[in-house]
PDB file of all heavy atoms in Angstrom:
ATOM      1  N   SER K 111     110.779  98.026  91.891  1.00 91.00           N
ATOM      2  CA  SER K 111     110.100  98.363  90.633  1.00 91.00           C
ATOM      3  C   SER K 111     110.254  99.847  90.365  1.00 91.00           C
ATOM      4  O   SER K 111     110.525 100.631  91.280  1.00 91.00           O
ATOM      5  CB  SER K 111     108.615  98.003  90.700  1.00 91.00           C
ATOM      6  OG  SER K 111     107.912  98.895  91.551  1.00 91.00           O
ATOM      7  N   SER K 112     110.076 100.214  89.122  1.00 86.00           N
ATOM      8  CA  SER K 112     110.004 101.630  88.831  1.00 86.00           C
ATOM      9  C   SER K 112     108.646 102.118  89.334  1.00 86.00           C
ATOM     10  O   SER K 112     107.745 101.326  89.631  1.00 86.00           O
ATOM     11  CB  SER K 112     110.180 101.888  87.335  1.00 86.00           C
ATOM     12  OG  SER K 112     109.290 101.105  86.592  1.00 86.00           O
ATOM     13  N   ARG K 113     108.509 103.418  89.441  1.00 73.00           N
ATOM     14  CA  ARG K 113     107.354 103.954  90.145  1.00 73.00           C
ATOM     15  C   ARG K 113     106.393 104.644  89.192  1.00 73.00           C
ATOM     16  O   ARG K 113     106.797 105.267  88.236  1.00 73.00           O
ATOM     17  CB  ARG K 113     107.838 104.971  91.170  1.00 73.00           C
ATOM     18  CG  ARG K 113     106.723 105.709  91.883  1.00 73.00           C
ATOM     19  CD  ARG K 113     107.267 106.814  92.758  1.00 73.00           C
ATOM     20  NE  ARG K 113     106.194 107.649  93.260  1.00 73.00           N
ATOM     21  CZ  ARG K 113     106.373 108.691  94.047  1.00 73.00           C
ATOM     22  NH1 ARG K 113     107.586 109.012  94.436  1.00 73.00           N
ATOM     23  NH2 ARG K 113     105.353 109.393  94.465  1.00 73.00           N
ATOM     24  N   GLY K 114     105.122 104.521  89.481  1.00 61.00           N
ATOM     25  CA  GLY K 114     104.123 105.337  88.817  1.00 61.00           C
ATOM     26  C   GLY K 114     103.795 104.901  87.411  1.00 61.00           C
ATOM     27  O   GLY K 114     104.323 103.926  86.896  1.00 61.00           O
ATOM     28  N   GLY K 115     102.898 105.599  86.787  1.00 61.00           N
ATOM     29  CA  GLY K 115     102.500 105.316  85.423  1.00 61.00           C
ATOM     30  C   GLY K 115     101.263 104.467  85.361  1.00 61.00           C
ATOM     31  O   GLY K 115     100.907 103.789  86.316  1.00 61.00           O
ATOM     32  N   PHE K 116     100.604 104.461  84.227  1.00 64.00           N
ATOM     33  CA  PHE K 116      99.380 103.696  84.069  1.00 64.00           C
ATOM     34  C   PHE K 116      99.662 102.214  83.922  1.00 64.00           C
ATOM     35  O   PHE K 116      98.961 101.361  84.462  1.00 64.00           O
ATOM     36  CB  PHE K 116      98.614 104.194  82.839  1.00 64.00           C
ATOM     37  CG  PHE K 116      97.383 103.388  82.558  1.00 64.00           C
ATOM     38  CD1 PHE K 116      96.262 103.513  83.353  1.00 64.00           C
ATOM     39  CD2 PHE K 116      97.353 102.486  81.506  1.00 64.00           C
ATOM     40  CE1 PHE K 116      95.118 102.760  83.115  1.00 64.00           C
ATOM     41  CE2 PHE K 116      96.206 101.738  81.248  1.00 64.00           C
ATOM     42  CZ  PHE K 116      95.094 101.872  82.049  1.00 64.00           C
ATOM     43  N   SER K 117     100.727 101.895  83.183  1.00 70.00           N
ATOM     44  CA  SER K 117     101.031 100.484  82.960  1.00 70.00           C
ATOM     45  C   SER K 117     101.554  99.842  84.235  1.00 70.00           C
ATOM     46  O   SER K 117     102.033 100.517  85.133  1.00 70.00           O
ATOM     47  CB  SER K 117     102.085 100.335  81.859  1.00 70.00           C
ATOM     48  OG  SER K 117     101.591 100.805  80.642  1.00 70.00           O
ATOM     49  N   TYR K 118     101.444  98.515  84.287  1.00 76.00           N
ATOM     50  CA  TYR K 118     101.998  97.789  85.424  1.00 76.00           C
ATOM     51  C   TYR K 118     103.507  97.750  85.311  1.00 76.00           C
ATOM     52  O   TYR K 118     104.047  97.415  84.262  1.00 76.00           O
ATOM     53  CB  TYR K 118     101.449  96.367  85.460  1.00 76.00           C
ATOM     54  CG  TYR K 118     102.037  95.554  86.586  1.00 76.00           C
ATOM     55  CD1 TYR K 118     101.764  95.885  87.907  1.00 76.00           C
ATOM     56  CD2 TYR K 118     102.899  94.493  86.335  1.00 76.00           C
ATOM     57  CE1 TYR K 118     102.319  95.175  88.945  1.00 76.00           C
ATOM     58  CE2 TYR K 118     103.453  93.772  87.368  1.00 76.00           C
ATOM     59  CZ  TYR K 118     103.158  94.125  88.680  1.00 76.00           C
ATOM     60  OH  TYR K 118     103.709  93.421  89.707  1.00 76.00           O
ATOM     61  N   ASN K 119     104.168  98.145  86.370  1.00 80.00           N
ATOM     62  CA  ASN K 119     105.622  98.111  86.404  1.00 80.00           C
ATOM     63  C   ASN K 119     106.066  96.865  87.156  1.00 80.00           C
ATOM     64  O   ASN K 119     105.851  96.738  88.355  1.00 80.00           O
ATOM     65  CB  ASN K 119     106.167  99.361  87.086  1.00 80.00           C
ATOM     66  CG  ASN K 119     105.889 100.612  86.281  1.00 80.00           C
ATOM     67  OD1 ASN K 119     105.626 100.536  85.083  1.00 80.00           O
ATOM     68  ND2 ASN K 119     105.927 101.754  86.930  1.00 80.00           N
ATOM     69  N   GLU K 120     106.694  95.996  86.431  1.00 87.00           N
ATOM     70  CA  GLU K 120     107.114  94.705  86.965  1.00 87.00           C
ATOM     71  C   GLU K 120     107.932  94.850  88.239  1.00 87.00           C
ATOM     72  O   GLU K 120     108.816  95.715  88.328  1.00 87.00           O
ATOM     73  CB  GLU K 120     107.940  93.979  85.915  1.00 87.00           C
ATOM     74  CG  GLU K 120     108.537  92.661  86.349  1.00 87.00           C
ATOM     75  CD  GLU K 120     109.354  92.025  85.236  1.00 87.00           C
ATOM     76  OE1 GLU K 120     109.427  92.605  84.141  1.00 87.00           O
ATOM     77  OE2 GLU K 120     109.936  90.956  85.488  1.00 87.00           O
ATOM     78  N   GLN K 121     107.643  93.996  89.209  1.00 92.00           N
ATOM     79  CA  GLN K 121     108.485  93.909  90.395  1.00 92.00           C
ATOM     80  C   GLN K 121     109.543  92.851  90.149  1.00 92.00           C
ATOM     81  O   GLN K 121     109.244  91.737  89.737  1.00 92.00           O
ATOM     82  CB  GLN K 121     107.652  93.554  91.624  1.00 92.00           C
ATOM     83  CG  GLN K 121     106.755  94.699  92.087  1.00 92.00           C
ATOM     84  CD  GLN K 121     106.101  94.433  93.428  1.00 92.00           C
ATOM     85  OE1 GLN K 121     106.548  93.593  94.211  1.00 92.00           O
ATOM     86  NE2 GLN K 121     105.034  95.157  93.699  1.00 92.00           N
ATOM     87  N   PHE K 122     110.786  93.228  90.398  1.00 94.00           N
ATOM     88  CA  PHE K 122     111.915  92.308  90.254  1.00 94.00           C
ATOM     89  C   PHE K 122     112.306  91.829  91.647  1.00 94.00           C
ATOM     90  O   PHE K 122     112.560  92.638  92.535  1.00 94.00           O
ATOM     91  CB  PHE K 122     113.099  93.012  89.587  1.00 94.00           C
ATOM     92  CG  PHE K 122     112.842  93.364  88.151  1.00 94.00           C
ATOM     93  CD1 PHE K 122     112.156  94.518  87.820  1.00 94.00           C
ATOM     94  CD2 PHE K 122     113.269  92.528  87.121  1.00 94.00           C
ATOM     95  CE1 PHE K 122     111.897  94.847  86.497  1.00 94.00           C
ATOM     96  CE2 PHE K 122     113.021  92.849  85.797  1.00 94.00           C
ATOM     97  CZ  PHE K 122     112.331  94.013  85.493  1.00 94.00           C
ATOM     98  N   PHE K 123     112.363  90.526  91.803  1.00 97.00           N
ATOM     99  CA  PHE K 123     112.616  89.938  93.118  1.00 97.00           C
ATOM    100  C   PHE K 123     114.063  89.473  93.260  1.00 97.00           C
ATOM    101  O   PHE K 123     114.698  89.039  92.295  1.00 97.00           O
ATOM    102  CB  PHE K 123     111.709  88.726  93.337  1.00 97.00           C
ATOM    103  CG  PHE K 123     110.297  89.095  93.665  1.00 97.00           C
ATOM    104  CD1 PHE K 123     109.412  89.483  92.674  1.00 97.00           C
ATOM    105  CD2 PHE K 123     109.841  89.059  94.977  1.00 97.00           C
ATOM    106  CE1 PHE K 123     108.101  89.835  92.977  1.00 97.00           C
ATOM    107  CE2 PHE K 123     108.532  89.394  95.293  1.00 97.00           C
ATOM    108  CZ  PHE K 123     107.664  89.787  94.290  1.00 97.00           C
ATOM    109  N   GLY K 124     114.542  89.561  94.494  1.00 97.00           N
ATOM    110  CA  GLY K 124     115.830  88.975  94.838  1.00 97.00           C
ATOM    111  C   GLY K 124     115.703  87.473  95.052  1.00 97.00           C
ATOM    112  O   GLY K 124     114.603  86.923  94.963  1.00 97.00           O
TER     113      GLY K 124
END
Side-chain angles (χ1 to χ4, degrees):
Chain K
S111 72
S112 52
R113 174 187 171 180
F116 176 74
S117 296
Y118 178 66
N119 293 340
E120 176 181 359
Q121 289 189 20
F122 292 83
F123 284 79

